[in-house]
Amino acid sequence: MSAAIEFQQVSKSFRDETVVDQLSFNVERGECYGLLGPNGAGKTTSIRMLLGLVGADSGTITLAGESVPGNARRARAKVGVVPQFDNLDPDFTVSENLVVFARYFGIAARAARERVPELLAFARLENRADARVSQLSGGMRRRLTVARALVNRPEVLILDEPTTGLDPQARHLIWERLRALQDSGMTLLLTTHFMDEAERLCNRLCIVDGGRKIAEGSPDALIEAQIGAEVVEIYGQADTAALADALRPLALRVDISGETVFCYVADPAPVVARLRQESGVRYVQRRANLEDVFLRLTGREMRE
């Protein structure tokens, strides 16, 4: 079977600025694929091109077996989208939001109403069916937005930062629901700024910067290839630069971000022994993670 999403040598410019530059990636059916990058990296434009909302300047795009933008309408009928910001209708109840949205896919009102209990159970909103959107918490609204994206039984679910602004309990519940969707065979395309979310959910991911792909692979493979070391994360010291200089001979690499020193080490023992000689210094010894990879590849400077 063909991939659920095929992005081949796709480019897009606005005025004189190249936003997406010869970007290629494939998402296999049934996998969760992450599209990661700093602000302005081209993620949103890529998703808009994938949905046929913006035309590419060059390259080919296939979504759910349909060529985009030529067959974008047919492709979108097979896709669910969870936007970055909830756009639920505040004038409708929870159930009405699902029924009305189903009409955009040509689903009859009766059939949509029959599907509502299943969707509410998925989102754990069974006791909120007749509540107005304004009466829901942020986590409830986000779960309703995910449920709404499932009204057409999509083959592919596209999620744009699905847990931004949520508390830990709501995030974990949405993670559980997304994992259940993948276990059922659905394909997920995920953008997120939470590296722990990408590391937990994604089978593979693509890191983009400046519109270009700079790395691709499974989270574990990228961590091993790009970091391949343990990390000692140090903060609370009076002179960050001086401490970093003192630790460099003991580490494979030392980075500074604000008040924090990151030591990448094969053996943390010499660094930890040195830190015990410092007063007021706090540190955490941990395994490398996807955030280390992301910061190494895209830099630690702020992006506007």
Side-chain angles (χ1 to χ4, degrees):
M1 297 178 66
S2 62
I5 297 172
E6 298 180 18
F7 227 69
Q8 300 298 326
Q9 298 294 306
V10 175
S11 294
K12 180 66 180 179
S13 297
F14 293 103
R15 300 183 181 89
D16 296 327
E17 181 182 3
T18 300
V19 180
V20 177
D21 190 0
Q22 297 290 301
L23 182 60
S24 295
F25 63 88
N26 288 350
V27 182
E28 300 303 324
R29 294 181 185 272
E31 79 171 331
C32 180
Y33 189 91
L35 190 60
L36 310 182
N39 291 332
K43 304 185 300 297
T44 298
T45 299
S46 296
I47 289 177
R48 287 177 61 81
M49 288 191 291
L50 179 63
L51 294 171
L53 303 176
V54 172
D57 295 335
S58 61
T60 60
I61 300 173
T62 303
L63 173 61
E66 305 289 349
S67 177
V68 175
N71 295 328
R73 184 181 295 272
R74 250 190 342 217
R76 287 199 297 268
K78 307 176 187 179
V79 174
V81 179
V82 178
Q84 183 176 354
F85 302 106
D86 296 328
N87 55 359
L88 300 163
D89 195 317
D91 296 325
F92 294 150
T93 66
V94 168
S95 292
E96 288 168 346
N97 264 275
L98 298 174
V99 172
V100 170
F101 192 75
R103 301 300 298 272
Y104 291 111
F105 295 93
I107 301 172
R110 179 176 179 180
R113 283 193 293 270
E114 290 174 352
R115 182 145 163 70
V116 164
E118 177 187 347
L119 294 171
L120 292 181
F122 173 86
R124 295 189 183 175
L125 292 172
E126 301 96 320
N127 62 345
R128 297 285 182 164
D130 297 322
R132 298 282 176 181
V133 168
S134 60
Q135 298 174 300
L136 304 181
S137 68
M140 290 176 181
R141 288 195 297 270
R142 204 59 178 150
R143 278 146 47 200
L144 178 58
T145 302
V146 175
R148 188 189 63 176
L150 303 175
V151 295
N152 59 323
R153 302 185 187 275
E155 298 176 20
V156 178
L157 183 63
I158 298 174
L159 304 114
D160 192 3
E161 300 187 26
T163 63
T164 296
L166 299 185
D167 60 32
Q169 291 88 345
R171 288 181 69 204
H172 280 269
L173 181 56
I174 286 182
W175 287 349
E176 176 193 330
R177 301 289 82 192
L178 296 181
R179 179 65 70 191
L181 291 174
Q182 188 187 4
D183 289 345
S184 73
M186 189 175 294
T187 303
L188 277 59
L189 176 64
L190 170 74
T191 77
T192 180
H193 285 297
F194 295 119
M195 296 300 107
D196 60 333
E197 182 166 274
E199 190 170 344
R200 176 186 292 258
L201 294 177
C202 296
N203 303 107
R204 292 187 303 129
L205 52 88
C206 172
I207 300 177
V208 296
D209 199 6
R212 282 185 167 271
K213 178 168 67 178
I214 58 175
E216 184 180 37
S218 70
D220 287 344
L222 287 174
I223 291 167
E224 180 60 31
Q226 297 293 333
I227 306 298
E230 291 193 55
V231 183
V232 182
E233 191 172 323
I234 310 144
Y235 52 98
Q237 64 281 351
D239 190 335
T240 299
L243 181 60
D245 288 341
L247 295 175
R248 280 194 174 90
L250 306 176
L252 300 173
R253 191 176 80 257
V254 176
D255 292 341
I256 299 175
S257 180
E259 67 164 6
T260 306
V261 176
F262 296 86
C263 286
Y264 299 93
V265 295
D267 179 7
V271 169
V272 170
R274 176 66 176 78
L275 293 174
R276 286 174 179 163
Q277 301 172 21
E278 300 286 333
S279 60
V281 171
R282 302 173 66 187
Y283 65 90
V284 175
Q285 178 184 334
R286 59 174 174 80
R287 66 179 287 272
N289 58 34
L290 194 57
E291 184 168 311
D292 296 306
V293 174
F294 185 86
L295 291 174
R296 182 176 187 186
L297 292 174
T298 64
R300 296 182 181 274
E301 297 79 16
M302 287 289 295
R303 303 289 183 95
E304 298 298 335

